[in-house]
Amino acid sequence: MSSPALMTSPNQAAATAAPGAAIPPSRPEFSARAARWFRLNQDRLRALLIGTASLIAFLITWHLLTTYRVVFFVKFTNVPAPLAVYASFTKAIHDPKFLMHILLSCRRIFIGFSLAALVGVPLGLIMGRFKLVHEIVFPVAEVLRPIPAIAWVPMAIMLWPTNEQSIVFITFLGSFFPILVNTLHGMTLVDPVLVRAAKCLGARETSIFREVYFPASLPHIFTGLTVGMGVAWVSLIAAEMISGQFGIGYFTWEAYSLVQYADIALGMIAIGVLGLGSSLVIRAAGQLVMPWRSR
Amino acid sequence: MSHAALETRQGHIEVRNFALSYETIDGAVEAVTDTQIHVAPGEFVSIVGPSGCGKSTLLNAVAGFLKPTCGIVTVDGNAVTGPSAERGMVFQQYSLFPWKTVRENVEFGLKMRGMPKFERARAARTLLGLAGLEAFENHYPERLSGGMKQRVGIVRALATGPKVLLLDEPFGALDAQTRIIMQQILTNMWQRLKISVLFVTHDIDEAIFLSDRVYCMTARPGSIKAEIQIPLERPRQQAMMMSSEFLALRRGLMSLIREESLKAMGGEITDLGMQGLSIELQGHSIADIL
Ligand SMILES: Nc1ncnc2c1ncn2[C@@H]1O[C@H](COP(=O)(O)OP(=O)(O)OP(=O)(O)O)[C@@H](O)[C@H]1O
Ligand SMILES: [Mg+2]
C-alpha cells in the first residue's frame, strides 16, 4: 500500500496550489486586507456613490418643480414639496395611527407571502418531480394565473368572512403564482448529469430530491420569491385601497379624499421603502442559503 | 498489472451479446450491436472508436443508465439493473454539485451510505490529499479550473470504494498538458486502489498510455473491431510515448480508427476517393455546391 510512486510530488502540489496564493495567507495585516476589500468592492462603492448622487438630484428636481409650480404637460401645482412631505413625515412617526397602518400592511404581507411560499415552493418542487401532479395542477394554474390579484377583490370579499382575511388572500394570490412558476421552471432546468452523478454515488429518490433537485432549483426559487414579493405589495395596496379600513394603501387613498396632499406622497414613499426593504430581506436570505453563489 | 490482478478478486465486468438501439420517431436507431467485452479484476481497459460509434452508449449501459436491447451486462456475475455505488462514473461534462464544496462533493457517496460526518470528512481529506487537492477542500467548484474539477470528479467517484471505475472521455475538455498530468494522476490512483477501469476516449495516445488492453470499435452501429494488448511496462513514463514500441501500437490503432472514421463520415471511402472529395463532389466543384 505504501507505494512511493504517488505522482503528486511536493513540487507539483505546490505548482497546482499556486492559484490559491491569491487567497489570504495565514494572518494578513489589517491595512492590506482593507486595501484588498476596497479593490474587490470598487464597483459596488462606485454604484453606491453614483446612486446617492442620483437620489439627491431627484430630490432637488422635485423641490424645484414644486416650488416654482411648473406646468408643462403635467401640473405640479398641487404636488407637495419634499420639505412639506418631510414635515408630515416627522409628524406621522409620532402618530400611533400611522404606525399602525404600516404595521398592519406588514403583517398582511408577512402572512400572505409566507403562505404563498409555504404552498408554492413545495408544490412547484413536487410538480417538477411527479408528472401526474404536474398534469393535474398545471392546467388549473395556467387558467388562474393571468387573472390579476385586483380582479379577485370582489370574489375575495364574497369568499372570506372578514375583510382582513380577504386582503391577506389577495396578497397570497399575488405572490403565489410567480413563486410556483419559478420553482417549477427551476426544476425543469436541473442538469440531468448531476442527477446521474448522484445515482452513481448511491443516492436514492429522497436523497436525490434533497441533495440535487432542491439546491439546484434554489436560484429560481429565490427569483420567484423576489418577484412574488413585488406582486404581493402591488396586490396588497390595491386591495387596501378598494376594501380596507387600515393599512398604508388605505392611508394613501384616504389622504387623497381628505385633500392631505403631503400625506399622499408620504404614503407612496412609505410603500416604496417597505417594498424595497422586503426585497432586500429576501436577497439577504438568498445569499444566506446559497453561499456558493456569492463571490 | 501482474500482482494487482492477483490481489483483487472483485470488479470483473462482462458484457455479452450486447446490443442497444434507441427508440426514435424514425424508428429504432441501432447504436451498438453484437458486442462482447470484458474487464478482468484490476485491469485498465480502454474503448476507442470514431465519434458516434456508441462508446458512451456502451459505458452508460455498464453504469446501469441504459438497458441493453439484447444481451447482458454483469459485474462479478451479478446482472446490472441500475446505477449503483459499486460502479463509480466520471462524466465528460463537469458534474460536480455546484452547491457543495470540494470536500462535500467527495463526501457525497459516503454520506449516502450513512457514514458519520466526522469519519467521512477524514476519508475525503485523505483522498483529496492523494490528488493534490487538500488546499481546495473548502472551495466551491465554480472557483476550480477544468483540470481540478475533473480530478475532484475522479476522487468523488473513488471515495465510495467502487469495484469498477467508468470514465467517459473525462479529459476531453482539457488542454494537452493538463491532460498528461491527469493521466498520470489517474494511473497512480488506479495502481494504489487496484480497481478495474473501463475508460472511453477517442485519443489513441491516451488509450495506449493508460491501458492494459484497448478495444477498438467500428463505426455505427458499433461493435468491437479489434482488441489490442498493450504490453508496455509499468509504471509508465511520459518518455515511453516516444518509444518504437509505443509508436508501432499507435500506428496500428491509428489505421484501424481511420478506416472506421471514414466509414462513419459516409460509406466506404478510399484514400483516393478522399482526395477526390476535397476537390470535387460528384462532378461538381465545391464552389458550385456552395
Ligand atoms: N437518445 C438518443 N436517441 C437516439 N439516438 C441516439 C441517442 N443517443 C445517442 N444516439 C445515437 O447513438 C449513436 C451512439 O451514440 P454515443 O453517444 O454512444 O456515441 P459516442 O461513441 O459516445 O460518440 P462521441 O465520441 O461523439 O461521444 C450515435 O449515432 C447517436 O446519434
Ligand atoms: Mg460519447
Side-chain angles (χ1 to χ4, degrees):
Chain A
M1 264 326 265
S2 57
S3 156
L6 187 61
M7 266 318 291
T8 45
S9 65
N11 276 345
Q12 197 185 318
T16 46
I23 286 114
S26 52
R27 235 172 217 291
E29 50 185 310
F30 180 76
S31 64
R33 230 193 137 85
R36 236 183 343 243
W37 181 89
F38 211 78
R39 205 152 4 101
L40 286 171
N41 289 288
Q42 224 170 18
D43 280 357
R44 276 192 222 181
L45 290 172
R46 186 189 132 106
L48 191 71
L49 227 68
I50 296 180
T52 313
S54 140
L55 279 177
I56 292 170
F58 175 82
L59 282 176
I60 291 173
T61 315
W62 176 14
H63 177 75
L64 293 176
L65 287 173
T66 45
T67 39
Y68 295 104
R69 302 189 182 280
V70 174
V71 178
F72 182 72
F73 293 107
V74 283
K75 299 174 294 185
F76 286 91
T77 1
N78 288 327
V79 174
L83 286 173
V85 177
Y86 181 74
S88 75
F89 167 72
T90 48
K91 211 166 68 205
I93 50 165
H94 297 297
D95 179 5
K97 227 173 143 200
F98 178 74
L99 295 179
M100 194 196 57
H101 283 305
I102 286 187
L103 224 64
L104 256 167
S105 289
C106 288
R107 204 183 77 166
R108 287 165 179 164
I109 285 285
F110 181 76
I111 298 173
F113 178 79
S114 301
L115 283 176
L118 285 176
V119 180
V121 172
L123 184 60
L125 292 173
I126 290 169
M127 280 170 77
R129 199 71 196 91
F130 302 104
K131 243 181 57 222
L132 183 67
V133 183
H134 187 279
E135 286 159 352
I136 293 170
V137 178
F138 194 67
V140 183
E142 277 303 276
V143 170
L144 295 183
R145 193 162 64 98
I147 303 171
I150 309 159
W152 276 92
V153 171
M155 184 67 79
I157 293 170
M158 289 194 293
L159 276 172
W160 296 90
T162 70
N163 226 348
E164 188 61 27
Q165 286 164 334
S166 57
I167 293 176
V168 169
F169 175 68
I170 283 160
T171 314
F172 164 86
L173 277 180
S175 45
F176 176 72
F177 287 109
I179 293 173
L180 178 71
V181 169
N182 278 286
T183 306
L184 193 55
H185 184 61
M187 285 294 282
T188 60
L189 292 181
V190 175
D191 187 349
V193 166
L194 297 182
V195 178
R196 283 182 171 201
K199 284 183 181 167
C200 273
L201 293 165
R204 305 272 178 73
E205 185 64 35
T206 46
S207 308
I208 293 174
F209 199 87
R210 193 183 60 236
E211 305 270 353
V212 182
Y213 279 104
F214 180 63
S217 306
L218 268 178
H220 287 93
I221 292 177
F222 270 90
T223 306
L225 293 177
T226 311
V227 176
M229 183 53 96
V231 183
W233 276 104
V234 171
S235 317
L236 173 81
I237 300 304
E240 284 178 348
M241 284 185 167
I242 295 172
S243 74
Q245 282 140 25
F246 300 103
I248 192 66
Y250 172 77
F251 171 87
T252 309
W253 190 253
E254 192 196 28
Y256 177 71
S257 328
L258 300 177
V259 209
Q260 302 281 342
Y261 292 141
D263 281 352
I264 297 180
L266 178 62
M268 287 170 67
I269 292 171
I271 293 166
V273 169
L274 289 172
L276 184 69
S278 43
S279 65
L280 283 181
V281 168
I282 291 178
R283 191 127 61 103
Q287 278 174 354
L288 210 67
V289 297
M290 299 184 291
W292 68 93
R293 300 199 98 219
S294 51
R295 301 143 298 136
Chain B
M1 63 151 274
S2 51
H3 60 275
L6 286 177
E7 277 179 23
T8 359
R9 285 273 155 263
Q10 292 209 311
H12 182 209
I13 307 173
E14 186 79 59
V15 176
R16 264 177 289 141
N17 304 324
F18 179 92
L20 199 150
S21 10
Y22 291 103
E23 213 58 63
T24 68
I25 298 202
D26 309 321
V29 173
E30 197 165 36
V32 181
T33 61
D34 188 28
T35 291
Q36 341 278 335
I37 62 169
H38 69 95
V39 180
E43 198 182 13
F44 198 122
V45 174
S46 290
I47 301 175
V48 294
S51 184
C53 73
K55 303 183 294 292
S56 299
T57 305
L58 185 55
L59 202 71
N60 279 318
V62 177
F65 292 123
L66 296 172
K67 280 206 176 14
T69 320
C70 154
I72 190 164
V73 178
T74 61
V75 172
D76 293 332
N78 303 317
V80 167
T81 52
S84 122
E86 74 170 21
R87 278 160 279 125
M89 183 138 177
V90 180
F91 302 84
Q92 172 160 18
Q93 310 95 304
Y94 302 127
S95 61
L96 300 182
F97 304 118
W99 46 86
K100 289 181 183 290
T101 62
V102 166
R103 180 158 55 76
E104 287 166 348
N105 264 283
V106 174
E107 281 177 19
F108 185 82
L110 301 172
K111 186 177 179 184
M112 293 301 106
R113 207 202 269 161
M115 187 186 272
K117 209 177 169 106
F118 181 74
E119 250 174 82
R120 64 179 195 245
R122 204 175 45 194
R125 281 206 191 94
T126 310
L127 273 166
L128 283 169
L130 280 179
L133 286 164
E134 61 273 70
F136 299 93
E137 61 166 325
N138 291 321
H139 285 214
Y140 284 106
E142 193 196 41
R143 284 174 59 185
L144 302 182
S145 70
M148 286 190 217
K149 281 184 200 165
Q150 280 312 57
R151 250 188 292 168
V152 177
I154 294 172
V155 171
R156 182 178 67 176
L158 291 173
T160 47
K163 293 180 186 174
V164 304
L165 183 63
L166 311 169
L167 301 103
D168 189 357
E169 300 192 34
F171 310 143
L174 306 179
D175 63 86
Q177 280 314 309
T178 314
R179 194 179 254 251
I180 287 168
I181 294 169
M182 295 291 291
Q183 289 165 2
Q184 300 211 302
I185 289 172
L186 178 62
T187 342
N188 282 306
M189 297 197 100
W190 165 71
Q191 275 178 329
R192 285 204 138 200
L193 301 168
K194 302 183 170 85
I195 62 171
S196 321
V197 174
L198 187 56
F199 187 96
V200 163
T201 178
H202 57 237
D203 182 332
I204 292 167
D205 289 334
E206 184 169 80
I208 300 172
F209 183 74
L210 292 173
S211 313
D212 296 320
R213 213 145 45 80
V214 177
Y215 286 110
C216 176
M217 284 181 84
T218 64
R220 207 192 80 198
S223 60
I224 302 302
K225 183 188 175 83
E227 178 187 341
I228 296 124
Q229 288 286 340
I230 309 293
L232 301 173
E233 67 187 36
R234 292 195 188 266
R236 302 217 172 131
Q237 311 292 345
Q238 218 194 308
M240 282 182 185
M241 295 179 108
M242 295 295 149
S243 71
S244 57
E245 207 181 354
F246 190 99
L247 292 175
L249 287 165
R250 184 172 196 268
R251 254 195 309 280
L253 255 173
M254 199 75 118
S255 66
L256 285 170
I257 297 265
R258 188 174 160 75
E259 230 173 275
E260 292 307 319
S261 301
L262 289 176
K263 256 191 237 167
M265 292 178 72
E268 308 248 354
I269 306 174
T270 59
D271 268 359
L272 211 75
M274 191 63 182
Q275 280 165 16
L277 191 70
S278 60
I279 302 157
E280 266 190 357
L281 281 168
Q282 299 173 337
H284 304 281
S285 75
I286 299 266
D288 282 347
I289 294 164
L290 298 177

